[in-house]
Amino acid sequence: MDHAPSLSSKGRLAIIAGKGFLPLYVAKAAQMAGEQPLIIALRNEADGVFDGFETVTTGVGDLATIEGLLRDKGVKRVILSGGVARRPDWRDIHPTLRTILKVPSVLRTLLSGGDDSVLQMVIKLIEAMGCQVLGAHEIVPDLLAKVGQIGAHAPSGDDLRDIEKACEAARRLGELDIGQGAVSVGGRLVALEGVEGTDRMLERVVSLRAEGRISTRRKGVLVKLCKPQQEMRADLPTIGPSTVENAIKAGLAGIAVEAGRALVLEEDKMIALADVAGLFVCGLDSGLPAGGLR
Amino acid sequence: MDHAPSLSSKGRLAIIAGKGFLPLYVAKAAQMAGEQPLIIALRNEADGVFDGFETVTTGVGDLATIEGLLRDKGVKRVILSGGVARRPDWRDIHPTLRTILKVPSVLRTLLSGGDDSVLQMVIKLIEAMGCQVLGAHEIVPDLLAKVGQIGAHAPSGDDLRDIEKACEAARRLGELDIGQGAVSVGGRLVALEGVEGTDRMLERVVSLRAEGRISTRRKGVLVKLCKPQQEMRADLPTIGPSTVENAIKAGLAGIAVEAGRALVLEEDKMIALADVAGLFVCGLDSGLPAGGLR
């Protein structure tokens, strides 16, 4: 089925979709806001089912195809949404010569740096294709975590201490342009997130706990923060029902994320799970005393 | 068999033995230096075979038994050696009232802090029992990593960049009183060591590599550093043949440790393995340009 390009003066919206639930949420929310989003699903990454949306699949590095699609479909606004687990090697990235010439920093960037610089590069390339790159929250502002308690339970005094400890670690990791998550149990940092991601880190906490290498008497807290140099248009820290499920398995007391700079997926379902399990979920405002929790 | 207490004016040497190969090396080296070390093997932790050494097994927190042993066997010098995977809960630690009264900070320490403060507490308790606590390297100085290349291979320019990146991360982790290790691949930090330890972190690199989440075209480097506040008498970063084996599985180019503040176990066997696999091993001097590698 071929959709006509949007007649909106803002041009049609495209969602470049990686792993996870987020791209589908953004697509649905955009549709409810009157958009006709084009889904550009990244091969081996996108795993959502985009029924009812015009969907094209392409390779992660196949920028020439993406450029052609954006032009042919009248796309003027692009959202990058969902994870990209496999980092494209520079040899897999095929921009057109024309695009490269417009963004001379691209080759430099491809040869160095952390995740952020690759994202920045992708954003520059898409902008060089004549599109605006938006954050998911600009289309679905409700996705951003709010300050304070989310759900029925609040962190205890011990939990606040763990939040503080894990925050300090997550902040330093962010400065190193790696990970966004840390787990503290009983005032002791036990796990730091690298390339493996939050779910794997929590699985590690489950095993360490089973082996007695983490106290089973203290619960502990997962904190996810933005990197200080975080590109708000991609890769915001995200929590949702699966994060809560994994935190429960890991025996944690709760989860804290950065308010306004983290996405909450399927909030109702997530809260229901957390409430039943007695888990707290909260949004931190680093500008407020105790993160805005008291 | 009952050994008589050493007649040395320095008093008998005891080795409180946790996990791994280190306690046995220290015991053998001490024996070669004319000592008659008493092995106090920690239950569920010590896994060495201490044939030919007087060995007593005790619980990690059973300080009253340890105190009795030290007194009855004429022990005046103690080495803490090997890992303690299970962190004793404060309820499992049974010091005598007399000892507690000598070291009032103990209860405070038991209720807080990272690994270092627990170690400091154990050291203070043993000192309060009238013993001197020594580092393994004070008995076996050859165990300490030397500056520069160890073995046949040297780091390349790319490897030096990864060493620098992983060093920065390991240094920050140290400031947080967690872990000692980090892996950088192609200038990108991919794994940080938490409570799980170096071997588990390297296993993670193996899986991430198999899943294509880490470039298979870049090799990468493991760095292990001391914490800035490292207690030299316990828990120095350690590498040995198994570290090299795991680094080979993880597809790394090499391993760098802090010279003079890291222990190298079974150096000959480790070098033989590394040389055959083309892996470099080196000791870094943070006071020298390029860590003393050029």
Side-chain angles (χ1 to χ4, degrees), chain A residues 21 27 35 37 47 52 57 106 114 124 202 206 239 252 291-292:
Chain A
F21 294 121
E35 307 274 355
D47 48 8
T57 299
V106 162
K124 278 185 192 158
L202 290 178
V206 175
I239 58 168
L252 300 183

Side-chain angles (χ1 to χ4, degrees), chain B residues 4-195:
Chain B
S6 163
L7 296 177
S8 155
S9 63
K10 296 182 288 182
R12 190 164 174 195
L13 178 72
I15 297 168
I16 300 187
K19 265 202 194 333
F21 294 121
L22 188 56
L24 187 59
Y25 287 109
V26 175
K28 284 185 178 164
Q31 200 172 42
M32 278 169 61
E35 306 275 355
Q36 266 192 345
L38 169 71
I39 312 295
I40 303 178
L42 297 176
R43 191 173 293 124
N44 299 326
E45 297 290 350
D47 48 8
V49 178
F50 298 98
D51 285 346
F53 296 96
E54 187 183 9
T55 306
V56 186
T57 299
T58 178
V60 172
D62 196 355
L63 295 176
T65 300
I66 292 174
E67 181 164 9
L69 270 171
L70 298 180
R71 192 182 52 233
D72 296 349
K73 303 286 182 181
V75 171
K76 288 288 171 209
R77 293 166 302 144
V78 172
I79 290 176
L80 305 171
S81 180
V84 176
R86 290 169 182 267
R87 188 182 170 81
D89 205 276
W90 63 271
R91 291 181 235 189
D92 299 332
I93 296 184
H94 310 295
T96 60
L97 193 58
R98 195 176 65 89
T99 307
I100 286 275
L101 289 174
K102 277 200 206 158
V103 194
S105 64
V106 162
L107 279 177
R108 267 203 310 282
T109 306
L110 278 169
L111 295 166
S112 72
D115 280 325
D116 275 1
S117 54
V118 170
L119 280 173
Q120 287 295 352
M121 179 203 73
V122 169
I123 289 172
K124 278 185 192 159
L125 284 170
I126 293 171
E127 286 171 345
M129 295 170 191
C131 290
Q132 195 187 354
V133 179
L134 302 173
H137 58 283
E138 294 178 67
I139 303 291
V140 202
D142 284 355
L143 282 177
L144 290 178
K146 289 165 277 291
V147 177
Q149 191 177 326
I150 303 170
H153 303 282
S156 71
D158 276 357
D159 297 336
L160 287 175
R161 202 172 53 123
D162 274 328
I163 289 175
E164 206 175 303
K165 189 91 184 177
C167 266
E168 192 194 348
R171 200 168 295 124
R172 295 209 192 192
L173 294 183
E175 287 164 11
L176 293 167
D177 197 7
I178 179 176
Q180 305 166 316
V183 175
S184 171
V185 177
R188 178 188 184 213
L189 285 170
V190 298
L192 301 171
E193 185 177 337
V195 170

Side-chain angles (χ1 to χ4, degrees), chain A residues 109-180:
Chain A
T109 306
L110 278 167
L111 294 167
S112 74
D115 281 325
D116 275 2
S117 54
V118 171
L119 280 174
Q120 287 294 354
M121 179 201 73
V122 169
I123 289 172
K124 278 185 192 158
L125 284 170
I126 293 171
E127 286 172 345
M129 296 171 192
C131 290
Q132 194 186 357
V133 179
L134 302 173
H137 59 282
E138 294 178 67
I139 303 290
V140 202
D142 284 354
L143 282 178
L144 290 178
K146 289 166 278 290
V147 176
Q149 191 177 326
I150 302 169
H153 303 283
S156 71
D158 276 356
D159 297 335
L160 287 175
R161 204 172 52 121
D162 274 326
I163 289 175
E164 207 175 301
K165 189 91 184 177
C167 267
E168 193 195 346
R171 200 169 296 124
R172 294 208 194 193
L173 294 183
E175 287 164 12
L176 293 168
D177 197 8
I178 178 176
Q180 305 166 315

Side-chain angles (χ1 to χ4, degrees), chain A residues 89 172 175 200 211, chain B residues 89 172 175 200 211 217:
Chain A
D89 203 278
R172 294 208 194 193
E175 287 164 12
R200 293 264 197 110
E211 293 159 22
Chain B
D89 205 276
R172 295 209 192 192
E175 287 164 11
R200 293 264 198 109
E211 294 159 21
R217 292 186 179 120

